[in-house]
Amino acid sequence: FRRVLFRSAQGYFVYDSRKAGARTISHLRFGPRPITSTYLIQRANFVAVHQFGFLERYNVLENAEEGATFLLNSPYSHDEVWDHLPKPVQEEIINKHLEFYVIDAYDVAKATGMGVHINTVMQTCFFAISGVLPRDEAITKIKEAIRKTYGKRGESVVQKNFAAVDQALANLHKVVVPE
């Protein structure tokens, strides 16, 4: 694994027109040089699914590259999630040799006083396993951003978000994928 310093980032977001149960697809690109071209991601090396129910409704892994990382927010633990995945999802994980990680982000958010707000949890997981930044540096920067963004709302809000970051790391698990 070669460490690359990512100096540039670009994001395009595709929003569903419906509110309830809608999905947002984030097309994020990172690189060592300025990113000047504009396009949506067609071959992803990282796919995150924040709603378990999307596995039944969408082909969430269709753009995943061979060997990509797949992060799933799941109500099932890392040792039982496999049995709850739809067969086509299992097949794609196996066929594409995906690295598969799971977290119950709603449980972490609830336990840390964040209610149903899972963004901090899922963002932490992304940076912890994506390699965009070294893990410790990423966590430090996330906490700096939390303090800057939520500091005006009071120290208790900041501390809840810090707890969500720490618990996200403690509850993120790699899933052993069957042969």
Side-chain angles (χ1 to χ4, degrees), residues 6 9-10 26-30 45-48 50 69-72 101 103 118-135 138-139 142 168-169 172:
F6 295 104
Q10 179 187 74
S26 303
H27 295 263
L28 306 175
R29 297 171 58 208
F30 300 91
N45 60 18
F46 191 100
V47 175
H50 296 213
T69 300
F70 174 40
L71 170 62
L72 177 63
Y101 291 84
I103 186 164
I118 64 170
N119 288 349
T120 298
V121 176
M122 295 301 287
Q123 174 186 352
T124 300
C125 293
F126 168 77
F127 281 106
I129 60 179
S130 69
V132 170
L133 291 172
R135 183 179 176 138
I139 301 309
I142 289 169
L169 296 171
L172 175 63

Side-chain angles (χ1 to χ4, degrees), residues 52-53 55-56 72 74-90 93 100 102 175:
F52 194 86
L55 298 177
E56 291 283 353
L72 177 63
S74 170
Y76 306 105
S77 71
H78 66 283
D79 38 351
E80 63 181 5
V81 67
W82 187 261
D83 294 331
H84 295 276
L85 298 176
K87 277 278 191 242
V89 173
Q90 291 177 346
I93 291 170
F100 181 22
V102 69
V175 176

Side-chain angles (χ1 to χ4, degrees), residues 88-156:
V89 173
Q90 291 177 346
E91 290 169 359
E92 219 158 346
I93 291 170
I94 291 170
N95 293 339
K96 291 183 176 180
H97 304 97
L98 302 183
E99 282 192 35
F100 181 22
Y101 291 84
V102 69
I103 186 164
D104 186 342
Y106 286 112
D107 189 55
V108 170
K110 182 179 175 186
T112 57
M114 301 286 291
V116 296
H117 303 284
I118 64 170
N119 288 349
T120 298
V121 176
M122 295 301 287
Q123 174 186 352
T124 300
C125 293
F126 168 77
F127 281 106
I129 60 179
S130 69
V132 170
L133 291 172
R135 183 179 176 138
D136 292 341
E137 181 182 343
I139 301 309
T140 298
K141 289 189 180 297
I142 289 169
K143 288 185 175 182
E144 287 171 2
I146 287 169
R147 182 155 308 278
K148 183 177 178 181
T149 303
Y150 299 114
K152 294 176 186 161
R153 294 190 186 174
E155 189 61 23
S156 69

